[in-house]
Amino acid sequence: MKFNGNAMRAAIGVIGAALTALALVSCGGGQAVEKFVPTRILAFGDESSFMDANGLKYSVNAKADGTIDCKANPIWVQGLAAAYGLVFPQCNPDAVAAPASQILATVDATSGNVKDQIDLFVTNGGSFGGKDLATVLAGARDILDQYALIKAGTTTEAQAIPILEQAGTALAAQVNRIGLAGGKVLIATVPDMGLTPFAVNAGTTDAALLTRLTSLFNSKLRVGLINDGHMTGLLLIDEMVQNIVKNPGSGGFGAVDKAVCAVALPNCTTATLVPDLLNPDGTLKFAANGETWLWSDDTRLSAGGQRSMGSVAVSRAQGNPF
């Protein structure tokens, strides 16, 4: 192809302008994109995001020399906070002055309880700013409650469907509420309840039911979110769990269908785990370990599961155009 002199000069001019603009941006002469760095984490939801005043978590608590080390075996919101040099008041062994981050999650919270948590936060003078990163994870209790009613014969799966769909939609509305108020939000889907030790023990039919109920909730949650990556980041924790169960070795896991805790949460520690899992011939199959077993109890993730979830959260927070 041949260019005449005018066309060639025009083309060179366009290229030159583009290179100049690129140079300006690389040298700070253009408008740079500011990397989002939150100044506090606000954790809403259920016990998956909860620590009590003693630093106990609904997972496998690390214990050394007879005392709880709340900094070890972090839950997912701790891992997220640590990525930004932040801590929560419930676990501040290094005595960071006046931690701004807050755990507002409560034990056994439903999706409806998240609204209550946000209402209370606002009533107490809280507000959401551009440097706030809120996390939301709830819905497991909604799913398990509906499953229990189905098994008791007081409701049917068909009747449970609209209830869980409404619960997912309502939770999405609270996520949108935070984002529209000025905060940034990481919203996590509910882990597949059909892959929990509880579901495994209940049998394949019930496990399939729990998976369907989880999918219904998560689908409505996702559809109800305002699709704006500048204020919301979606964590596909249901898919994370499914992938770990399908390929446990790739995530460093051994046992993915059994609970590792021998006592009820939150009192489970590295000193109160079940015996090692043995092969039929008595040789070791999987050593009992809160990092390499996926579940702490029948429905809640272990320290390793929480670690994986935290990694997903950090990646999303740093990759989203907040």
Side-chain angles (χ1 to χ4, degrees):
M1 179 181 295
K2 294 182 178 180
F3 291 92
N4 59 36
N6 291 334
M8 180 66 75
R9 283 192 293 272
I12 292 172
V14 170
I15 294 171
L19 291 173
T20 300
L22 179 60
L24 284 171
V25 172
S26 64
C27 295
Q31 183 177 2
V33 177
E34 182 183 356
K35 184 178 180 180
F36 173 68
V37 178
T39 56
R40 66 175 178 174
I41 308 294
L42 301 171
F44 297 95
D46 61 21
E47 62 272 20
S48 293
S49 309
F50 176 82
M51 278 191 294
D52 70 14
N54 298 312
L56 284 175
K57 313 149 195 172
Y58 280 73
S59 181
V60 179
N61 294 283
K63 195 169 187 178
D65 299 325
T67 59
I68 297 296
D69 179 1
C70 66
K71 195 172 180 179
N73 285 5
I75 55 176
W76 73 288
V77 293
Q78 280 183 285
L80 175 64
Y84 296 102
L86 303 173
V87 299
F88 294 100
Q90 291 87 344
C91 182
N92 185 18
D94 299 324
V96 175
S101 298
Q102 298 182 51
I103 288 182
L104 300 143
T106 53
V107 177
D108 281 335
T110 64
S111 59
N113 293 142
V114 172
K115 179 181 183 302
D116 300 333
Q117 294 166 10
I118 298 172
D119 287 346
L120 183 60
F121 172 71
V122 173
T123 298
N124 289 336
S127 61
F128 299 100
K131 291 296 185 179
D132 289 332
L133 180 57
T135 64
V136 179
L137 172 55
R141 177 47 51 198
D142 300 77
I143 294 163
L144 293 171
D145 284 351
Q146 288 303 308
Y147 167 80
L149 291 174
I150 293 170
K151 293 301 293 181
T154 55
T155 192
T156 65
E157 182 177 353
Q159 291 170 324
I161 289 173
I163 294 173
L164 287 176
E165 288 182 334
Q166 176 55 37
T169 299
L171 186 60
Q174 295 308 307
V175 173
N176 296 338
R177 172 187 179 185
I178 296 171
L180 292 172
K184 313 301 182 184
V185 196
L186 290 179
I187 171 64
T189 56
V190 179
D192 188 343
M193 291 290 104
L195 296 177
T196 61
F198 174 76
V200 171
N201 293 333
T204 55
T205 299
D206 283 21
L209 170 60
L210 282 162
T211 291
R212 290 196 300 274
L213 297 179
T214 304
S215 180
L216 284 166
F217 180 92
N218 284 336
S219 294
K220 281 298 182 180
L221 168 64
R222 294 178 62 176
V223 168
L225 297 172
I226 295 175
N227 186 18
D228 185 345
H230 292 285
M231 71 180 195
T232 306
L234 178 63
L235 312 180
L236 298 176
I237 302 305
D238 55 338
E239 294 185 7
M240 181 200 84
V241 168
Q242 291 163 1
N243 289 333
I244 289 173
V245 171
K246 289 178 183 177
N247 304 287
S250 63
F253 290 91
V256 295
D257 58 355
K258 294 176 173 58
V260 74
C261 290
V263 301
L265 307 186
N267 297 315
C268 176
T269 73
T270 47
T272 61
L273 304 182
V274 297
D276 295 341
L277 189 61
L278 304 179
N279 291 307
D281 63 359
T283 58
L284 179 67
K285 184 175 184 181
F286 298 121
N289 187 299
E291 279 286 326
T292 59
W293 289 43
L294 180 59
W295 303 98
S296 57
D297 69 359
D298 281 350
T299 59
R300 301 175 181 105
L301 291 169
S302 68
Q306 287 273 356
R307 167 181 47 78
S308 295
M309 188 158 56
S311 295
V312 172
V314 171
S315 178
R316 177 58 65 199
Q318 295 181 346
N320 243 53
F322 284 145

